[in-house]
Amino acid sequence: MEARFDLFANEIALTFAKRFAGASLVIQQSPLPRSTQELVSLRASQINGCGHCIDMHTKEAEAAGETAVRLHLVAAWRESTVFTEAEQAALALAEEGTRLGDAHHGVSDETWDRVREHYDDDQTAALVALVALINAANRLAVIVHQKGGSYEPGMFARAFDRVESVHGER
């Protein structure tokens, strides 16, 4: 099944997507470790059932040197030994920040305290923004039925470079 709607073909959707990519760039350039960014994005995408984002973040993580073992265990991170305490705190925040409707408390004080134990203010800001952004990205992709399987590392960045050169914007 093809995507229902091409987000790069509509001017409003394209403008939004470019702003969205700009927000993503702020997080990518933050001091939050790249591996943590990809693990958090992957876990939220798994919870939300977003095949496109699972495909993207698995492949981007692999391209950045992440191991297959860790990628395979993200869904069961509590039951594995391959994640640091800092990564576990970030994954807990990703889950609780993604499952807002499933929990009466949202992000627990315990999880927040664990995050603050391992991440400074800039990293925490990036982590919170990342959880919000990946959840929005998951919803966009799921709504328009953007499927996983054909993503290649760097494809997202290249798509925006191509769009900007065609439209003459930066």
Side-chain angles (χ1 to χ4, degrees):
M1 175 188 292
E2 279 188 40
R4 291 178 171 161
F5 191 78
D6 183 353
L7 294 174
F8 294 103
N10 175 275
E11 197 61 37
I12 290 172
L14 179 61
T15 300
F16 177 78
K18 287 192 299 189
R19 301 305 185 272
F20 202 85
S24 178
L25 189 59
V26 170
I27 296 165
Q28 289 173 17
Q29 294 174 345
S30 78
L32 185 66
R34 172 83 186 273
S35 60
T36 302
Q37 292 179 36
E38 295 299 344
L39 295 172
V40 163
S41 295
L42 177 56
R43 184 64 191 126
S45 300
Q46 289 170 336
I47 292 167
N48 289 323
C50 182
H52 175 74
C53 293
I54 291 169
D55 187 30
M56 177 191 308
H57 293 291
T58 300
K59 290 174 180 173
E60 289 291 350
E62 269 182 337
E66 191 58 72
T67 68
V69 169
R70 285 169 42 94
L71 292 174
H72 292 304
L73 289 171
V74 167
W77 64 269
R78 284 184 183 85
E79 303 302 323
S80 24
T81 60
V82 298
F83 302 104
T84 67
E85 287 184 20
E87 290 167 337
Q88 291 174 27
L91 289 165
L93 182 73
E95 286 190 1
E96 291 178 21
T98 297
R99 294 182 171 168
L100 295 175
D102 298 341
H104 66 279
H105 61 272
V107 175
S108 69
D109 290 338
E110 177 186 350
T111 294
W112 186 255
D113 291 345
R114 288 178 59 210
V115 165
R116 296 304 290 160
E117 180 182 327
H118 296 284
Y119 297 100
D120 66 22
D121 287 351
D122 288 346
Q123 292 170 319
T124 299
L127 185 56
V128 169
L130 175 60
V131 171
L133 194 67
I134 190 59
N135 275 281
N138 292 161
R139 280 148 180 79
L140 285 168
V142 169
I143 289 168
V144 300
H145 283 184
Q146 197 170 0
K147 302 295 184 186
S150 62
Y151 186 84
E152 296 175 20
M155 192 170 153
F156 184 72
R158 287 191 303 275
F160 280 101
D161 288 343
R162 191 171 53 250
V163 166
E164 288 168 352
S165 68
V166 168
H167 290 275
E169 296 179 22
R170 206 51 165 150

